[in-house]
Amino acid sequence: THMHMFSNPESLLEGKVPLTANDLLENLKPEKWPFHLTELPLGTALVGGAIRDGLLNIHNSRKDLDFVVPNNATEFTQKLADKVGGRVVHLDIERDVARLVKDEWTVDFASQLGHSLEQDLFRRDFTFNSIALSFGANLEIVDPTGGVSDLKRKKLVAVHSQNLIDDPLRLLRALRLQAQYDFSIEKETKSLLISNSALLPLVAPERIQSELQMLVEGKWADKAIN
């Protein structure tokens, strides 16, 4: 899939006033989503690439969203599809992850891992992918690993070495993200990529192919390939 990015020179991270959850939500244009915010269970959080791009003020032509819900993600996805239309794809029955596909939108819902949203975020790959916009009693940005600060510095920092070992595709994803965003890989993270590179053949070939395709299409692919 080709991904075209349109960026505004001034990201939310460069503003003169402190970043607020409302600013971020506004930048994500929820009025265009294929469902209304009120249909999400209390305690839902938006995570992943949409948050990262929203903070950087990058608008992708790919319409992908990733949500963490407190529990029963597959059941909720089915109910939502019944209400708004679209079809449901079961991505991971064991981990309770399902996808709603509607028009050009791809929306993933996963049940929270651990006892809290913070615990779930600590299990992710890189710090700037571990930022959430939580739709709890109050709208708030949840950033337990310092991802906002690393995003400001354009630094790619692993959350934990074990998280890369648990899914070795993340080793390649680091380089794909460098190709797409011109992030510099933190020294310690770079050594983790090298020391664990022998694990990459354990990953399904189609997943590797997908990352490589996105990598070579990245604006800074030369740097990442090198």
Side-chain angles (χ1 to χ4, degrees):
T1 312
H2 287 265
M3 179 164 66
H4 302 287
M5 295 184 178
F6 313 96
S7 67
N8 184 320
E10 170 122 323
S11 77
L12 290 183
L13 300 171
E14 291 162 354
K16 304 291 180 289
V17 292
L19 173 67
T20 71
N22 282 316
D23 290 336
L24 177 55
L25 182 61
E26 194 179 317
N27 218 25
L28 293 166
K29 300 187 172 22
E31 67 278 2
K32 294 185 176 176
W33 295 356
F35 50 84
H36 196 271
L37 280 175
T38 54
E39 282 158 336
L40 297 171
L42 190 67
T44 297
L46 179 65
V47 296
I51 296 288
R52 181 186 66 234
D53 291 347
L55 290 168
L56 292 171
N57 217 12
I58 290 170
H59 302 290
N60 291 335
S61 56
R62 284 175 62 182
K63 295 177 168 30
D64 295 347
L65 297 169
D66 291 279
F67 289 93
V68 170
V69 294
N71 48 44
N72 304 326
T74 304
E75 191 185 317
F76 166 72
T77 310
Q78 189 59 63
K79 282 180 182 169
L80 188 62
D82 293 343
K83 196 171 184 180
V84 303
R87 62 190 175 90
V88 176
V89 181
H90 299 280
L91 296 181
D92 189 333
I93 291 165
E94 198 179 320
R95 275 194 50 232
D96 197 21
V97 185
R99 172 172 290 171
L100 172 70
V101 181
K102 179 172 165 55
D103 305 323
E104 72 272 41
W105 287 91
T106 302
V107 186
D108 291 355
F109 293 96
S111 282
Q112 180 182 288
L113 294 172
H115 300 299
S116 65
L117 176 60
E118 284 81 0
Q119 273 192 9
D120 185 291
L121 295 171
F122 268 113
R123 297 184 185 198
R124 294 177 182 268
D125 50 10
F126 307 108
T127 58
F128 55 57
N129 286 339
S130 305
I131 309 164
L133 183 62
S134 174
F135 303 98
N138 299 304
L139 184 70
E140 62 174 330
I141 294 170
V142 181
D143 177 23
T145 68
V148 171
S149 167
D150 290 333
L151 201 54
K152 272 184 186 173
R153 299 186 303 136
K154 298 194 79 177
K155 280 278 182 195
L156 190 142
V157 182
V159 173
H160 195 283
S161 58
Q162 190 60 45
N163 299 7
L164 302 181
I165 293 164
D166 289 344
D167 182 3
L169 185 72
R170 292 167 166 179
L171 305 168
L172 192 54
R173 187 176 298 146
L175 299 168
R176 185 260 288 179
L177 289 164
Q178 183 182 35
Q180 288 180 326
Y181 296 91
D182 196 25
F183 294 138
S184 60
I185 300 173
E186 180 227 19
K187 193 178 170 187
E188 199 177 320
T189 298
K190 192 176 276 187
S191 65
L192 287 174
L193 303 184
I194 295 163
S195 61
N196 292 299
S197 59
L199 298 172
L200 202 53
L202 301 173
V203 178
E206 60 273 16
R207 294 182 72 212
I208 291 175
Q209 183 184 30
S210 174
E211 288 290 334
L212 286 174
Q213 282 176 330
M214 288 189 281
L215 189 155
V216 297
E217 288 167 7
K219 191 176 172 184
W220 294 275
D222 288 359
K223 187 185 285 190
I225 289 167
N226 187 44

